[in-house]
Amino acid sequence: MENIIALCKRKGFIFPGSEIYGGLSGTWDYGPLGVALKNNIKALWWKRFVTDREDMFGIDAAILMNQNVWKASGHVAGFSDPLVVDAKTQKRYRADHLLEEAGVDVKGMTLDAMDAKIKELGLKSPEGNALGDVRQFNMMFKTHIGPVADDDSISYLRPETAQGMFVNFKNVLDSMHPKIPFGLAQIGKAFRNEIAPRDFIFRDRELEQMEIEYFVHPDNWRAVFDGFFEEQMEFAKDLGLNPSHIHKVDIAAEDRAHYSSCSVDTEFDYPFGQKELFGLAYRTDYDLQKHIEHSKVDLSYFDEETKTRYVPHCIEPTFGLERSMLAVLCDAYTVDELGGEKREYLKLSPKIAPVLVAVSPLLKNKPELVAVARTVYADLKKRFGRVAFDDNGNIGKRYRRQDEIGTPFCVVVDFETLEGTKEMANGLDGNGGGYAPGTTDTVTIRYRDSGVQERVAISELADKIEKLIG
Ligand code: GAP
């Protein structure tokens, strides 16, 4: 984990939040490569779950919502974690984490049971001090809207994106007229005042979720639920995750969120243990019914075919962006030996690597090589976007640098390229006329994982890379 964190900082993926002021626990800033990786994951998700489907509608709801949303949803009353305080230092800890570290299986444990167990075992805080009683700690960040800080102006930074979709259910029905089954999808920030943020970007106070609320007739929930689990597995494959690191975990009734009557988590083998990656919940009609009750707005659906009116039930596949990214980084992080030298690099899938191709002239002081490389670079950049021009250092160093950030393909223009054809010579007219590749001109393409190189005609290069993305 330390090596991954160091690589992420060194190469501009992830920095500690507010670092020059000593940081802010549970927050992280994403550098140029981190934001590129995040955006690629989000784009892949959006394509699979929204644009490739006919039954999905995108939403981008406000982060700040009327406080009644959170009263209705049950988050004001129940979105909490078990907190225990060190009696001497007043430091706060998650009671379930302290128990787990002491070897206790906390699955299904109530607050009182945790309290009793801590006392029975005589557990102390990590500093060795006595612990107070276990109590609930609400994890929503509270704020006030406008200049007056009273009860009426209370608002919360949303702890899940889901509610933005439930409160817009009627707006989408009225504007888009979808037929059930259909889903709403959203990618956005969520905030949780975690008692103990930890494990790099695994448990954050500011996070990003990719969520779907999929509305069905109550009789059809099971098939849709199972279908979404398969879709989650497909998405894990898209990310390039190793299937043997992924585990399906049925969540027992006593451990489910208050809105769920069936939950399946997808867990991943992180270096710090097997932990949650994605979630899948059958939220029934819990949320829509609660919003009907609290807002007094009719959120039912009329089925034109059967001439029946009902409140739809909801299946919720949810994906944490940071956890997806962390799983990707953990599985991609590789140390091996190439050409007799140790190499540390990221085996990222070409679907999401921040840089897909790096284009280089073999030597940067040969204008004819640079001119051709610039043309190849410009063409690939136009087609794929995620393309870098790299002429720093010698070619071996460039390969290592690109390997380290996970670039799957390096393209090099060398003297053999120049031997290509007469068109080459004609193309480089010395008057800025540039270079038009001849049909027989070739470059080398080098594959990150094997280090193998092959010659490819420039005219076939982009199509070849497209195929390699898969
Ligand atoms: N709308 C349902 C919901 O929010 P959740 O299991 O509490 O369910 C959904 O969160 C996903 O968000 C999780 O599967 C996880 O990937 C991610 N997540 C939750 N809390 C997180 C945190 N503190 N830091 C990073 N990701 C988190």
Side-chain angles (χ1 to χ4, degrees):
M1 201 66 224
E2 278 171 19
N3 292 339
I4 294 170
I5 296 171
L7 187 150
C8 285
K9 173 123 199 276
R10 191 169 69 240
K11 303 311 291 184
F13 281 88
I14 305 171
F15 311 123
S18 315
E19 193 182 12
I20 62 168
Y21 288 99
L24 181 67
S25 171
T27 68
W28 297 90
D29 295 340
Y30 292 81
L33 297 186
V35 80
L37 182 56
K38 260 183 155 186
N39 284 341
N40 295 342
I41 294 174
K42 286 195 265 188
L44 205 60
W45 187 90
W46 196 260
K47 179 171 166 12
R48 167 173 286 281
F49 290 106
V50 184
T51 48
D52 281 357
R53 299 177 62 130
E54 290 179 20
D55 56 347
M56 214 64 95
F57 298 83
I59 280 278
D60 186 12
I63 287 172
L64 293 169
M65 301 179 86
N66 188 308
Q67 58 170 293
N68 291 324
V69 170
W70 305 109
K71 286 181 183 161
S73 69
H75 284 78
V76 170
F79 189 62
S80 45
D81 270 343
L83 171 89
V84 70
V85 181
D86 178 315
K88 193 167 168 198
T89 64
Q90 301 305 309
K91 277 195 189 158
R92 288 144 183 251
Y93 298 96
R94 283 266 299 259
D96 51 339
H97 289 173
L98 292 183
L99 283 163
E100 273 174 349
E101 280 155 21
V104 177
D105 179 4
V106 294
K107 284 210 169 83
M109 257 187 163
T110 61
L111 211 66
D112 288 344
M114 285 188 209
D115 194 53
K117 196 77 190 169
I118 286 178
K119 292 191 167 111
E120 178 196 321
L121 297 174
L123 284 192
K124 298 265 188 279
S125 76
E127 276 100 343
N129 302 317
L131 292 165
D133 294 339
V134 179
R135 58 187 166 89
Q136 293 287 16
F137 170 74
N138 193 295
M139 292 200 289
M140 283 199 294
F141 280 101
K142 199 192 248 184
T143 186
H144 289 274
I145 302 291
V148 183
D150 61 12
D151 283 353
D152 292 338
S153 68
I154 289 175
S155 186
Y156 302 92
L157 299 186
R158 65 182 178 201
E160 61 169 6
T161 64
Q163 296 304 324
M165 293 182 266
F166 292 121
V167 302
N168 280 294
F169 174 74
K170 184 170 162 30
N171 282 333
V172 176
L173 272 190
D174 293 348
S175 55
M176 309 301 289
H177 312 290
K179 290 208 165 35
I180 288 226
F182 75 90
L184 302 182
Q186 175 164 227
I187 299 180
K189 292 268 188 180
F191 301 83
R192 298 180 178 190
N193 197 1
E194 294 282 352
I195 297 166
R198 60 177 176 179
D199 296 323
F200 195 26
I201 56 171
F202 178 81
R203 192 178 302 286
D204 310 304
R205 289 187 166 134
E206 178 174 337
L207 56 130
E208 210 161 342
Q209 293 182 321
M210 307 182 283
E211 294 200 299
I212 294 164
E213 306 307 324
Y214 196 85
F215 299 99
V216 296
H217 186 279
D219 292 346
N220 302 334
W221 76 271
R222 187 78 234 188
V224 175
F225 186 93
D226 293 341
F228 270 117
F229 182 77
E230 293 310 318
E231 283 285 314
Q232 289 188 307
M233 293 304 99
E234 288 303 309
F235 182 64
K237 267 192 224 157
D238 282 351
L239 294 178
L241 300 182
N242 181 340
S244 74
H245 293 164
I246 289 182
H247 310 277
K248 180 181 184 185
V249 178
D250 291 307
I251 306 298
E254 57 274 25
D255 290 321
R256 284 181 212 136
H258 61 277
Y259 47 71
S260 175
S261 28
C262 177
S263 289
V264 169
D265 278 356
T266 298
E267 295 191 345
F268 178 80
D269 292 323
Y270 296 96
F272 42 85
Q274 182 185 318
K275 302 260 161 125
E276 184 186 346
L277 170 62
F278 311 142
L280 179 61
Y282 172 36
R283 287 180 86 130
T284 66
D285 57 352
Y286 178 88
D287 300 87
L288 288 182
Q289 291 288 12
K290 286 287 173 193
H291 288 306
I292 291 169
E293 186 188 322
H294 284 249
S295 69
K296 313 288 182 232
V297 173
D298 179 10
L299 301 178
S300 64
Y301 170 83
F302 184 69
D303 187 323
E304 295 287 351
E305 271 172 35
T306 59
K307 305 290 178 213
T308 51
R309 183 170 282 286
Y310 61 93
V311 176
H313 281 216
C314 179
I315 310 293
E316 181 195 64
T318 175
F319 306 70
L321 179 58
E322 289 78 6
R323 290 191 187 176
S324 301
M325 185 167 171
L326 183 56
V328 161
L329 289 167
C330 292
D331 259 1
Y333 180 80
T334 309
V335 179
D336 67 9
E337 225 180 67
L338 191 69
E341 268 181 54
K342 185 182 158 205
R343 146 174 104 140
E344 183 188 29
Y345 68 111
L346 294 176
K347 247 186 201 185
L348 292 172
S349 157
K351 288 189 168 80
I352 53 171
V355 179
L356 176 68
V357 195
V359 180
S360 296
L362 183 65
L363 301 171
K364 74 177 196 184
N365 57 358
K366 293 279 175 213
E368 57 277 37
L369 291 178
V370 174
V372 177
R374 278 273 166 208
T375 306
V376 172
Y377 162 74
D379 287 350
L380 292 179
K381 182 107 184 139
K382 210 181 285 167
R383 174 109 169 232
F384 298 109
R386 298 180 280 145
V387 181
F389 187 82
D390 189 356
D391 61 0
N392 259 333
N394 68 38
I395 199 74
K397 285 211 178 103
R398 285 179 220 161
Y399 287 154
R400 288 304 160 98
R401 205 169 42 238
Q402 294 298 334
D403 288 353
E404 207 179 359
I405 63 168
T407 306
F409 314 115
C410 286
V411 166
V412 175
V413 170
D414 55 18
F415 291 104
E416 211 177 313
T417 313
L418 301 186
E419 280 164 19
T421 65
K422 291 213 178 68
E423 289 155 74
M424 191 30 249
N426 296 339
L428 283 172
D429 59 9
N431 297 318
Y435 163 73
T439 48
T440 57
D441 299 353
T442 59
V443 288
T444 62
I445 180 165
R446 181 235 184 219
Y447 301 101
R448 176 197 62 206
D449 302 348
S450 59
V452 166
Q453 300 177 24
E454 64 173 317
R455 292 209 79 82
V456 180
I458 294 174
S459 55
E460 289 166 15
L461 185 61
D463 285 346
K464 181 169 182 79
I465 289 168
E466 186 83 61
K467 275 203 198 108
L468 289 166
I469 297 172

